[in-house]
Amino acid sequence: MKKEEIKVSYSIFQNPEELPEKDLVLLQRAEKALTGSYSPYSDFRVGAAVLLANGEIVEGANQENAAYPSGLCAERVALFYASAKYENIPVVALAITARSARFEVTRPVPPCGSCCQVMAETESRFGEQIRVILRGESGPAFVVEGINNLLPFMFHPEMLKK
Ligand code: THU
């Protein structure tokens, strides 16, 4: 038996104003996207903004449903919409933020496992890593370079081949 370790890395910006300009703009678009959240069941709004290689920014927000599993996270709303609207344009970056009606979200909110899996597919599809910018309502911002640093044991399309 042998044990292995996987290390993930990310950058912390205690003051989000210190983020590179492009990241800050994308984060602001994710904040704007919060208004599109339909979240009467969790009262937890999530906003996402996707930057594409052609410079376009696509926004998404979580959409809930009385049949809970029928809802969809903000990240997947944005990624699927970007793919549907801008066919075959690589995804460069994704910013995510969240607000709760019940408490102040002071920590960065990472994408859930299913959203990570969709990000993994997007990276494989275009052969490019996605830069992920995370911030709550207040507190630090995190920057994570690529799905490897979020979901190291991702299932990727190559696994379907012999
Ligand atoms: N949610 C997202 O939109 N993104 C995530 O990565 C985690 C969770 C949404 C789903 C649901 O509408 C609410 O947050 C509470 O889970």
Side-chain angles (χ1 to χ4, degrees), residues 65-107:
N65 194 287
Y68 291 3
S70 300
L72 198 63
C73 293
E75 297 88 327
R76 275 176 289 164
V77 170
L79 286 165
F80 289 155
Y81 181 48
S83 174
K85 190 167 185 214
Y86 298 98
E87 199 195 336
N88 292 328
I89 308 288
V91 171
V92 174
L94 169 66
I96 307 161
T97 191
R99 302 284 184 279
S100 168
R102 286 192 273 269
F103 61 93
E104 186 175 336
V105 182
T106 56
R107 286 177 296 185

Side-chain angles (χ1 to χ4, degrees), residues 119-128 154-158:
M119 289 167 58
E121 182 78 21
T122 307
E123 283 195 358
S124 293
R125 177 176 172 189
F126 298 115
E128 291 186 27
M154 68 197 156
F155 184 88
H156 51 80
E158 285 68 37

Side-chain angles (χ1 to χ4, degrees), residues 29-162:
R29 291 291 294 269
E31 285 166 4
K32 182 174 157 267
L34 287 166
T35 55
S37 168
Y38 174 65
S39 42
Y41 303 103
S42 70
D43 279 336
F44 194 75
R45 288 180 292 140
V46 184
V50 168
L51 172 66
L52 298 174
N54 63 2
E56 292 288 340
I57 293 178
V58 174
E59 296 172 6
N62 56 328
Q63 306 297 318
E64 297 186 349
N65 194 287
Y68 291 3
S70 300
L72 198 63
C73 293
E75 297 88 327
R76 275 176 289 164
V77 170
L79 286 165
F80 289 155
Y81 181 48
S83 174
K85 190 167 185 214
Y86 298 98
E87 199 195 336
N88 292 328
I89 308 288
V91 171
V92 174
L94 169 66
I96 307 161
T97 191
R99 302 284 184 279
S100 168
R102 286 192 273 269
F103 61 93
E104 186 175 336
V105 182
T106 56
R107 286 177 296 185
V109 171
C112 78
S114 296
C115 291
C116 284
Q117 192 57 47
V118 170
M119 289 167 58
E121 182 78 21
T122 307
E123 283 195 358
S124 293
R125 177 176 172 189
F126 298 115
E128 291 186 27
Q129 286 201 328
I130 301 173
R131 182 178 172 90
V132 185
I133 303 110
L134 311 169
R135 194 186 180 222
E137 184 173 358
S138 58
F142 293 173
V143 175
V144 190
E145 293 280 2
I147 195 65
N148 266 331
N149 285 302
L150 281 164
L151 187 67
F153 280 106
M154 68 197 156
F155 184 88
H156 51 80
E158 285 68 37
M159 287 169 177
L160 294 173
K161 296 172 195 154
K162 198 175 172 203

